[in-house]
Amino acid sequence: MNHVHGIQYKNNSKEELFPDFGPDFPYTCSYVEFDRCIGGQIPWHWHKEIELFYIEKGTLEYDTPGGKIVFPEGSGGMVNSNILHSTKSLDPKKNTIQLDHIFDSSLISGQHGSLLDQKYILPFTGSPQAEILSFYPRTPKEKRLLKLLRDSFFLSPHEFGYEILLRSALSKLWCLMLSLSRPLLGQKKPQSGSDQKIKSMMEYIQDHYSEKLTVPRIALAAYISERECFRIFRQSLGITPSEYVKNFRIRQACIMLSDPSLSVSYIGQSCGLGSSSYFGKTFREVMGCTPREYRCKWQNPDIKQR
């Protein structure tokens, strides 16, 4: 199980990259401690892989363009393929811990386009009703799913047949999820046309955050008007384009501040936050401390960032 310290992005799409993820066994497992994450949260991102998770400790909030879902300790859920989402801890007094399975659906179905893929995977991954699912210990079937889910994280990779046992566990969980979500899949929900547009604009910002960014430039990345740009950011992320730019720049600054060889003024300029005074003012507004105070805290070798 990997102790995840930072999000990496694929260069060609800006979706999340999992370095130890290979085509021979498309799977990785993460142990996330939110008191070691910048601001106690994971920023907006997406990945084509399925995310199946369990809340071991604390309370976690998942945000998607469709709304917010709270997951208390002992609950779990699933984030579907290519769904834009972010997470944050709601329990600052308790280190929220999340266990994460990340896997390509082919791990269960075998070859893409196979009978298993067509019958059990595509109807689920292609459903707008199943963007994110939540499971709580309120019914016997959900309690059984959550027990199987938690137990699946403690399979030993040193045990003979580990990969087969893991695949079997994930397949069993998939069947239970399908059974529980069948009423949901029968409901009608229109596809949103904003999803690819917001991703295109986020990718543009991530590529050009060190430069002077304006709303017209951001809107042009998705070939839409400024008004539509504001509407999509509000609808999808609940913030303005400028707020997203500022938050992304501050997060990049937080990562750079862990390197003692970089001066605070250099970091401010590199992240598009200008002079040291403006950088300090903006950083304090977002993080509640100065860049130097943050650097002292996060240079503790026991503290990791994501």
Side-chain angles (χ1 to χ4, degrees):
M1 192 179 294
N2 299 319
H3 287 244
V4 178
H5 298 162
I7 285 184
Q8 298 183 45
Y9 295 97
K10 295 181 181 178
N11 291 329
N12 61 339
S13 70
K14 299 304 177 186
E15 65 180 273
E16 189 174 1
L17 170 70
F18 305 104
D20 57 347
F21 207 88
D24 55 341
F25 195 68
Y27 167 83
T28 189
C29 183
S30 300
Y31 180 94
V32 187
E33 295 180 90
F34 276 79
D35 71 346
R36 300 187 176 192
C37 297
I38 297 170
Q41 59 185 321
I42 306 296
W44 289 99
H45 65 286
W46 68 92
H47 39 77
K48 70 179 182 65
E49 296 80 12
I50 305 295
E51 179 175 344
L52 188 57
F53 61 89
Y54 181 84
I55 309 304
E56 182 75 355
K57 183 180 176 184
T59 304
L60 193 63
E61 178 182 277
Y62 264 77
D63 287 6
T64 71
K68 304 175 187 292
I69 301 180
V70 174
F71 293 89
E73 186 173 313
S75 66
M78 187 281 303
V79 180
N80 216 331
S81 175
N82 287 315
I83 298 302
L84 188 62
H85 60 285
S86 67
T87 55
K88 63 180 178 183
S89 172
L90 296 183
D91 197 344
K93 295 182 180 179
K94 184 186 291 186
N95 178 19
T96 297
I97 296 174
Q98 179 189 31
L99 309 179
D100 247 345
H101 288 307
I102 307 288
F103 60 95
D104 189 272
S105 60
S106 63
L107 188 64
I108 295 174
S109 68
Q111 183 177 350
H112 287 298
S114 67
L115 174 63
L116 292 177
D117 194 37
Q118 295 179 54
K119 192 172 181 180
Y120 299 107
I121 304 298
L122 294 178
F124 192 77
T125 57
S127 172
Q129 293 86 355
E131 290 184 351
I132 181 168
L133 300 180
S134 54
F135 305 110
Y136 307 100
R138 54 197 172 190
T139 67
K141 188 174 281 190
E142 284 183 282
K143 287 179 181 178
R144 181 185 171 211
L145 184 148
L146 288 166
K147 184 180 186 308
L148 287 171
L149 177 57
R150 186 178 186 278
D151 290 348
S152 67
F153 288 102
F154 297 97
L155 292 170
S156 172
H158 305 294
E159 184 176 353
F160 177 74
Y162 164 72
E163 291 82 3
I164 294 175
L165 294 171
L166 176 63
R167 184 185 185 190
S168 175
L170 292 175
S171 298
K172 188 176 293 186
L173 285 164
W174 191 268
C175 285
L176 279 171
M177 284 197 305
L178 281 176
S179 176
L180 285 165
S181 60
R182 285 177 73 181
L184 178 68
L185 297 179
Q187 299 173 9
K188 289 185 177 181
K189 181 180 178 182
Q191 291 275 8
S192 171
S194 301
D195 189 57
Q196 189 51 52
K197 292 174 184 176
I198 188 67
K199 288 178 181 177
S200 295
M201 291 187 284
M202 289 170 66
E203 289 173 356
Y204 181 81
I205 291 168
Q206 291 170 24
D207 280 335
H208 300 276
Y209 69 91
S210 62
E211 306 167 14
K212 183 177 180 180
L213 285 175
T214 62
V215 173
R217 283 183 65 185
I218 295 169
L220 187 60
Y223 303 102
I224 57 176
S225 67
E226 293 178 49
R227 182 176 179 179
E228 181 71 356
C229 173
F230 274 103
R231 186 191 70 79
I232 290 176
F233 266 90
R234 282 290 191 191
Q235 180 186 66
S236 300
L237 308 187
I239 55 177
T240 66
S242 299
E243 287 172 323
Y244 179 81
V245 171
K246 179 176 70 174
N247 291 340
F248 186 82
R249 284 170 167 167
I250 292 296
R251 177 165 287 273
Q252 296 306 111
C254 287
I255 294 171
M256 294 179 73
L257 283 166
S258 64
D259 184 347
S261 68
L262 302 177
S263 70
V264 171
S265 59
Y266 172 80
I267 292 171
Q269 292 288 343
S270 298
C271 292
L273 291 164
S275 66
S276 296
S277 59
Y278 179 76
F279 174 37
K281 176 177 177 292
T282 307
F283 193 93
R284 182 185 283 277
E285 286 176 359
V286 176
M287 301 302 297
C289 62
T290 67
R292 286 184 173 82
E293 288 170 343
Y294 183 90
R295 167 170 272 174
C296 289
K297 174 184 175 182
W298 289 92
Q299 281 181 349
N300 182 334
D302 293 330
I303 300 295
K304 305 298 181 183
Q305 299 183 31
R306 187 177 190 213

mmCIF file of all heavy atoms in Angstrom, residues 6-32:
data_model
loop_
_atom_site.group_PDB
_atom_site.id
_atom_site.type_symbol
_atom_site.label_atom_id
_atom_site.label_comp_id
_atom_site.label_asym_id
_atom_site.label_seq_id
_atom_site.Cartn_x
_atom_site.Cartn_y
_atom_site.Cartn_z
ATOM 1 N N GLY A 6 1.976 13.074 -3.238
ATOM 2 C CA GLY A 6 1.703 14.158 -4.178
ATOM 3 C C GLY A 6 1.021 13.688 -5.438
ATOM 4 O O GLY A 6 1.249 12.578 -5.897
ATOM 5 N N ILE A 7 0.168 14.537 -5.977
ATOM 6 C CA ILE A 7 -0.500 14.235 -7.245
ATOM 7 C C ILE A 7 0.457 14.534 -8.392
ATOM 8 O O ILE A 7 1.111 15.571 -8.419
ATOM 9 C CB ILE A 7 -1.783 15.076 -7.403
ATOM 10 C CG1 ILE A 7 -2.885 14.517 -6.509
ATOM 11 C CG2 ILE A 7 -2.276 15.075 -8.845
ATOM 12 C CD1 ILE A 7 -4.203 15.213 -6.656
ATOM 13 N N GLN A 8 0.548 13.619 -9.327
ATOM 14 C CA GLN A 8 1.274 13.844 -10.563
ATOM 15 C C GLN A 8 0.282 13.812 -11.715
ATOM 16 O O GLN A 8 -0.737 13.124 -11.651
ATOM 17 C CB GLN A 8 2.351 12.771 -10.767
ATOM 18 C CG GLN A 8 3.414 12.760 -9.682
ATOM 19 C CD GLN A 8 4.483 11.728 -9.963
ATOM 20 O OE1 GLN A 8 4.969 11.621 -11.089
ATOM 21 N NE2 GLN A 8 4.848 10.969 -8.954
ATOM 22 N N TYR A 9 0.587 14.564 -12.773
ATOM 23 C CA TYR A 9 -0.336 14.657 -13.892
ATOM 24 C C TYR A 9 0.298 14.119 -15.169
ATOM 25 O O TYR A 9 1.507 14.260 -15.386
ATOM 26 C CB TYR A 9 -0.750 16.112 -14.130
ATOM 27 C CG TYR A 9 -1.536 16.720 -12.996
ATOM 28 C CD1 TYR A 9 -0.906 17.509 -12.029
ATOM 29 C CD2 TYR A 9 -2.903 16.500 -12.885
ATOM 30 C CE1 TYR A 9 -1.627 18.068 -10.985
ATOM 31 C CE2 TYR A 9 -3.632 17.056 -11.836
ATOM 32 C CZ TYR A 9 -2.983 17.834 -10.901
ATOM 33 O OH TYR A 9 -3.692 18.378 -9.865
ATOM 34 N N LYS A 10 -0.540 13.525 -16.030
ATOM 35 C CA LYS A 10 -0.087 13.094 -17.349
ATOM 36 C C LYS A 10 0.125 14.333 -18.208
ATOM 37 O O LYS A 10 -0.709 15.229 -18.249
ATOM 38 C CB LYS A 10 -1.137 12.186 -17.997
ATOM 39 C CG LYS A 10 -1.344 10.871 -17.256
ATOM 40 C CD LYS A 10 -2.388 10.011 -17.957
ATOM 41 C CE LYS A 10 -2.602 8.700 -17.192
ATOM 42 N NZ LYS A 10 -3.637 7.861 -17.820
ATOM 43 N N ASN A 11 1.264 14.374 -18.915
ATOM 44 C CA ASN A 11 1.615 15.565 -19.677
ATOM 45 C C ASN A 11 0.617 15.889 -20.780
ATOM 46 O O ASN A 11 0.364 17.045 -21.081
ATOM 47 C CB ASN A 11 3.013 15.404 -20.294
ATOM 48 C CG ASN A 11 4.095 15.406 -19.239
ATOM 49 O OD1 ASN A 11 3.946 16.053 -18.216
ATOM 50 N ND2 ASN A 11 5.176 14.704 -19.482
ATOM 51 N N ASN A 12 0.048 14.862 -21.388
ATOM 52 C CA ASN A 12 -0.796 15.115 -22.552
ATOM 53 C C ASN A 12 -2.246 15.410 -22.206
ATOM 54 O O ASN A 12 -2.999 15.877 -23.039
ATOM 55 C CB ASN A 12 -0.743 13.922 -23.513
ATOM 56 C CG ASN A 12 -1.244 12.639 -22.872
ATOM 57 O OD1 ASN A 12 -1.271 12.526 -21.654
ATOM 58 N ND2 ASN A 12 -1.649 11.686 -23.683
ATOM 59 N N SER A 13 -2.664 15.161 -20.972
ATOM 60 C CA SER A 13 -4.076 15.367 -20.662
ATOM 61 C C SER A 13 -4.323 16.032 -19.318
ATOM 62 O O SER A 13 -5.413 16.510 -19.060
ATOM 63 C CB SER A 13 -4.815 14.027 -20.667
ATOM 64 O OG SER A 13 -4.410 13.237 -19.550
ATOM 65 N N LYS A 14 -3.315 16.061 -18.437
ATOM 66 C CA LYS A 14 -3.440 16.625 -17.101
ATOM 67 C C LYS A 14 -4.358 15.838 -16.186
ATOM 68 O O LYS A 14 -4.761 16.345 -15.144
ATOM 69 C CB LYS A 14 -3.889 18.097 -17.158
ATOM 70 C CG LYS A 14 -2.916 18.998 -17.900
ATOM 71 C CD LYS A 14 -1.518 18.929 -17.323
ATOM 72 C CE LYS A 14 -0.541 19.764 -18.119
ATOM 73 N NZ LYS A 14 0.844 19.611 -17.670
ATOM 74 N N GLU A 15 -4.724 14.619 -16.566
ATOM 75 C CA GLU A 15 -5.417 13.770 -15.614
ATOM 76 C C GLU A 15 -4.370 13.175 -14.681
ATOM 77 O O GLU A 15 -3.167 13.225 -14.951
ATOM 78 C CB GLU A 15 -6.211 12.671 -16.317
ATOM 79 C CG GLU A 15 -5.374 11.667 -17.070
ATOM 80 C CD GLU A 15 -6.233 10.603 -17.755
ATOM 81 O OE1 GLU A 15 -6.531 9.612 -17.089
ATOM 82 O OE2 GLU A 15 -6.568 10.775 -18.928
ATOM 83 N N GLU A 16 -4.814 12.614 -13.550
ATOM 84 C CA GLU A 16 -3.864 12.129 -12.562
ATOM 85 C C GLU A 16 -3.068 10.945 -13.098
ATOM 86 O O GLU A 16 -3.605 10.064 -13.765
ATOM 87 C CB GLU A 16 -4.576 11.731 -11.266
ATOM 88 C CG GLU A 16 -3.599 11.416 -10.138
ATOM 89 C CD GLU A 16 -4.288 11.170 -8.804
ATOM 90 O OE1 GLU A 16 -5.514 11.228 -8.736
ATOM 91 O OE2 GLU A 16 -3.551 10.917 -7.827
ATOM 92 N N LEU A 17 -1.768 10.947 -12.784
ATOM 93 C CA LEU A 17 -0.869 9.880 -13.204
ATOM 94 C C LEU A 17 -0.498 9.039 -11.991
ATOM 95 O O LEU A 17 -0.201 9.561 -10.916
ATOM 96 C CB LEU A 17 0.411 10.477 -13.818
ATOM 97 C CG LEU A 17 1.567 9.522 -14.097
ATOM 98 C CD1 LEU A 17 1.204 8.585 -15.248
ATOM 99 C CD2 LEU A 17 2.835 10.305 -14.429
ATOM 100 N N PHE A 18 -0.509 7.715 -12.166
ATOM 101 C CA PHE A 18 -0.092 6.790 -11.113
ATOM 102 C C PHE A 18 1.194 6.113 -11.588
ATOM 103 O O PHE A 18 1.163 5.246 -12.461
ATOM 104 C CB PHE A 18 -1.191 5.758 -10.847
ATOM 105 C CG PHE A 18 -2.515 6.391 -10.519
ATOM 106 C CD1 PHE A 18 -3.530 6.432 -11.468
ATOM 107 C CD2 PHE A 18 -2.739 6.973 -9.290
ATOM 108 C CE1 PHE A 18 -4.748 7.037 -11.180
ATOM 109 C CE2 PHE A 18 -3.951 7.586 -8.988
ATOM 110 C CZ PHE A 18 -4.948 7.613 -9.937
ATOM 111 N N PRO A 19 2.362 6.509 -11.043
ATOM 112 C CA PRO A 19 3.653 6.062 -11.566
ATOM 113 C C PRO A 19 3.861 4.551 -11.565
ATOM 114 O O PRO A 19 4.554 4.021 -12.427
ATOM 115 C CB PRO A 19 4.664 6.752 -10.628
ATOM 116 C CG PRO A 19 3.930 7.927 -10.074
ATOM 117 C CD PRO A 19 2.507 7.481 -9.950
ATOM 118 N N ASP A 20 3.294 3.836 -10.583
ATOM 119 C CA ASP A 20 3.524 2.390 -10.500
ATOM 120 C C ASP A 20 2.422 1.594 -11.186
ATOM 121 O O ASP A 20 2.252 0.406 -10.949
ATOM 122 C CB ASP A 20 3.652 1.955 -9.036
ATOM 123 C CG ASP A 20 2.418 2.326 -8.207
ATOM 124 O OD1 ASP A 20 1.593 3.118 -8.706
ATOM 125 O OD2 ASP A 20 2.298 1.820 -7.087
ATOM 126 N N PHE A 21 1.681 2.260 -12.052
ATOM 127 C CA PHE A 21 0.530 1.675 -12.732
ATOM 128 C C PHE A 21 0.990 1.138 -14.088
ATOM 129 O O PHE A 21 1.479 1.886 -14.926
ATOM 130 C CB PHE A 21 -0.516 2.774 -12.935
ATOM 131 C CG PHE A 21 -1.937 2.292 -13.017
ATOM 132 C CD1 PHE A 21 -2.696 2.149 -11.882
ATOM 133 C CD2 PHE A 21 -2.513 2.005 -14.238
ATOM 134 C CE1 PHE A 21 -4.015 1.734 -11.944
ATOM 135 C CE2 PHE A 21 -3.825 1.597 -14.316
ATOM 136 C CZ PHE A 21 -4.576 1.460 -13.167
ATOM 137 N N GLY A 22 0.834 -0.173 -14.315
ATOM 138 C CA GLY A 22 1.317 -0.752 -15.567
ATOM 139 C C GLY A 22 0.256 -1.544 -16.294
ATOM 140 O O GLY A 22 -0.697 -2.031 -15.670
ATOM 141 N N PRO A 23 0.404 -1.723 -17.616
ATOM 142 C CA PRO A 23 -0.599 -2.468 -18.388
ATOM 143 C C PRO A 23 -0.653 -3.943 -18.027
ATOM 144 O O PRO A 23 -1.668 -4.604 -18.240
ATOM 145 C CB PRO A 23 -0.136 -2.272 -19.844
ATOM 146 C CG PRO A 23 1.329 -1.956 -19.741
ATOM 147 C CD PRO A 23 1.494 -1.213 -18.462
ATOM 148 N N ASP A 24 0.449 -4.471 -17.450
ATOM 149 C CA ASP A 24 0.453 -5.883 -17.085
ATOM 150 C C ASP A 24 -0.386 -6.165 -15.840
ATOM 151 O O ASP A 24 -0.894 -7.270 -15.651
ATOM 152 C CB ASP A 24 1.894 -6.379 -16.877
ATOM 153 C CG ASP A 24 2.660 -5.542 -15.863
ATOM 154 O OD1 ASP A 24 2.239 -4.405 -15.586
ATOM 155 O OD2 ASP A 24 3.692 -6.040 -15.368
ATOM 156 N N PHE A 25 -0.553 -5.146 -14.988
ATOM 157 C CA PHE A 25 -1.436 -5.253 -13.814
ATOM 158 C C PHE A 25 -1.879 -3.840 -13.449
ATOM 159 O O PHE A 25 -1.268 -3.173 -12.614
ATOM 160 C CB PHE A 25 -0.716 -5.921 -12.648
ATOM 161 C CG PHE A 25 -1.655 -6.388 -11.548
ATOM 162 C CD1 PHE A 25 -2.538 -7.434 -11.764
ATOM 163 C CD2 PHE A 25 -1.661 -5.771 -10.307
ATOM 164 C CE1 PHE A 25 -3.421 -7.864 -10.773
ATOM 165 C CE2 PHE A 25 -2.521 -6.197 -9.299
ATOM 166 C CZ PHE A 25 -3.411 -7.245 -9.545
ATOM 167 N N PRO A 26 -2.954 -3.340 -14.087
ATOM 168 C CA PRO A 26 -3.356 -1.933 -13.953
ATOM 169 C C PRO A 26 -4.053 -1.632 -12.626
ATOM 170 O O PRO A 26 -5.270 -1.464 -12.548
ATOM 171 C CB PRO A 26 -4.300 -1.732 -15.148
ATOM 172 C CG PRO A 26 -4.898 -3.090 -15.368
ATOM 173 C CD PRO A 26 -3.817 -4.080 -15.017
ATOM 174 N N TYR A 27 -3.245 -1.520 -11.572
ATOM 175 C CA TYR A 27 -3.795 -1.355 -10.226
ATOM 176 C C TYR A 27 -2.773 -0.686 -9.324
ATOM 177 O O TYR A 27 -1.560 -0.896 -9.452
ATOM 178 C CB TYR A 27 -4.153 -2.724 -9.646
ATOM 179 C CG TYR A 27 -4.447 -2.699 -8.153
ATOM 180 C CD1 TYR A 27 -5.708 -2.344 -7.675
ATOM 181 C CD2 TYR A 27 -3.456 -3.009 -7.219
ATOM 182 C CE1 TYR A 27 -5.966 -2.293 -6.324
ATOM 183 C CE2 TYR A 27 -3.711 -2.962 -5.861
ATOM 184 C CZ TYR A 27 -4.969 -2.603 -5.416
ATOM 185 O OH TYR A 27 -5.221 -2.545 -4.073
ATOM 186 N N THR A 28 -3.261 0.145 -8.413
ATOM 187 C CA THR A 28 -2.424 0.670 -7.342
ATOM 188 C C THR A 28 -3.295 0.891 -6.114
ATOM 189 O O THR A 28 -4.511 1.055 -6.223
ATOM 190 C CB THR A 28 -1.727 1.989 -7.749
ATOM 191 O OG1 THR A 28 -0.767 2.356 -6.756
ATOM 192 C CG2 THR A 28 -2.737 3.122 -7.921
ATOM 193 N N CYS A 29 -2.672 0.874 -4.951
ATOM 194 C CA CYS A 29 -3.392 1.019 -3.690
ATOM 195 C C CYS A 29 -2.745 2.154 -2.893
ATOM 196 O O CYS A 29 -1.517 2.227 -2.804
ATOM 197 C CB CYS A 29 -3.321 -0.286 -2.906
ATOM 198 S SG CYS A 29 -4.247 -0.280 -1.368
ATOM 199 N N SER A 30 -3.558 3.040 -2.337
ATOM 200 C CA SER A 30 -3.038 4.205 -1.627
ATOM 201 C C SER A 30 -3.566 4.295 -0.209
ATOM 202 O O SER A 30 -4.712 3.907 0.066
ATOM 203 C CB SER A 30 -3.411 5.494 -2.371
ATOM 204 O OG SER A 30 -2.882 5.504 -3.667
ATOM 205 N N TYR A 31 -2.721 4.839 0.660
ATOM 206 C CA TYR A 31 -3.060 5.134 2.056
ATOM 207 C C TYR A 31 -2.871 6.635 2.208
ATOM 208 O O TYR A 31 -1.749 7.135 2.128
ATOM 209 C CB TYR A 31 -2.116 4.357 2.973
ATOM 210 C CG TYR A 31 -2.323 4.541 4.457
ATOM 211 C CD1 TYR A 31 -3.115 3.665 5.184
ATOM 212 C CD2 TYR A 31 -1.677 5.568 5.147
ATOM 213 C CE1 TYR A 31 -3.277 3.809 6.558
ATOM 214 C CE2 TYR A 31 -1.827 5.719 6.518
ATOM 215 C CZ TYR A 31 -2.628 4.834 7.215
ATOM 216 O OH TYR A 31 -2.781 4.986 8.584
ATOM 217 N N VAL A 32 -3.968 7.387 2.348
ATOM 218 C CA VAL A 32 -3.897 8.842 2.350
ATOM 219 C C VAL A 32 -4.207 9.384 3.740
ATOM 220 O O VAL A 32 -5.282 9.127 4.281
ATOM 221 C CB VAL A 32 -4.883 9.447 1.324
ATOM 222 C CG1 VAL A 32 -4.676 10.955 1.222
ATOM 223 C CG2 VAL A 32 -4.729 8.788 -0.037
#
